[in-house]
Every structure is written in structure tokens, then in C-alpha cells.
Amino acid sequence: MAARLFVGNLPFTTTENDLQDHFAQAGPVVGINIMQDRATGRSRGFAFIEMGTQDDASKAITMFHQKDFQGRPLTVNEARPREDRPQGGGGGYQGGSRGGGGYR
């Protein structure tokens, strides 16, 4: 079964091919998703990599965590499940009763 890794502290110039070549040393890479800023399209400096098996993912963590990649020490660990976050932006009028002395 595939295992998902979080990879942080990436140089902003890193490509999916760079990560594919690097992480393939630990085993088959199933997928790569470099996170990008919505407004600029520029890399946010982290990615999620899906390895073929849990053993391959563990091997990648051992091989690459805190090791140099393109001049920066990588952070590599198991990706945590995405936490539920409230929808919508912060602030602003949310509607509903504002309390106070109303008429009855």
C-alpha cells in the first residue's frame, strides 16, 4: 500500500523531476505534488510525495531527513491526515442575531 510523505524546506526552484530522481533512490515514487501559492503560482517550499510502500517511505525518511538537497537540509516525515478546518475566510459579517434589546 502506498505511503505519503511530507517534504519541507525545498528550494523554490525544485521541480517534480528533481524530487522524482532524488526519492527514487529509496524506492518507486507513485506521485509528487509540490504545493504552490495560488496568487503567484510560485512554490511554497514543500511537497507531498507518495511512495510505493510503507517500507519505501520509511527508507526515504531515513535516507533524506535533514540531509542536503540542492543546498538545503530537507524535512522528511510521514504526512499527517489533513485536519478539518472551518470553511470561509476570517472576519467579516457572518449574519445572524447580534443580541441587544430587540422589540417584542
Side-chain angles (χ1 to χ4, degrees), residues 8-47:
N9 201 30
L10 291 172
F12 296 124
T13 56
T14 299
T15 67
E16 288 185 6
N17 285 339
D18 295 336
L19 291 173
Q20 170 74 37
D21 293 344
H22 193 65
F23 278 80
Q25 298 173 62
V29 176
V30 176
I32 298 172
N33 189 8
I34 297 175
M35 305 313 292
Q36 296 179 333
D37 183 273
R38 286 184 188 157
T40 65
R42 184 176 147 199
S43 168
R44 293 178 61 195
F46 68 96

Side-chain angles (χ1 to χ4, degrees), residues 26-102:
V29 176
V30 176
I32 298 172
N33 189 8
I34 297 175
M35 305 313 292
Q36 296 179 333
D37 183 273
R38 286 184 188 157
T40 65
R42 184 176 147 199
S43 168
R44 293 178 61 195
F46 68 96
F48 293 98
I49 297 179
E50 195 168 347
M51 300 297 291
T53 66
Q54 183 62 47
D55 288 342
D56 294 338
S58 297
K59 185 176 177 183
I61 292 169
T62 302
M63 288 176 68
F64 305 128
H65 183 65
Q66 295 299 308
K67 300 294 191 296
D68 183 75
F69 176 73
Q70 297 181 347
R72 300 181 79 163
L74 290 181
T75 298
V76 182
N77 49 43
E78 282 192 51
R80 295 186 304 238
R82 187 171 183 164
E83 296 176 6
D84 289 333
R85 293 183 289 192
Q87 296 296 317
Y93 180 68
Q94 298 293 320
S97 174
R98 297 179 70 185

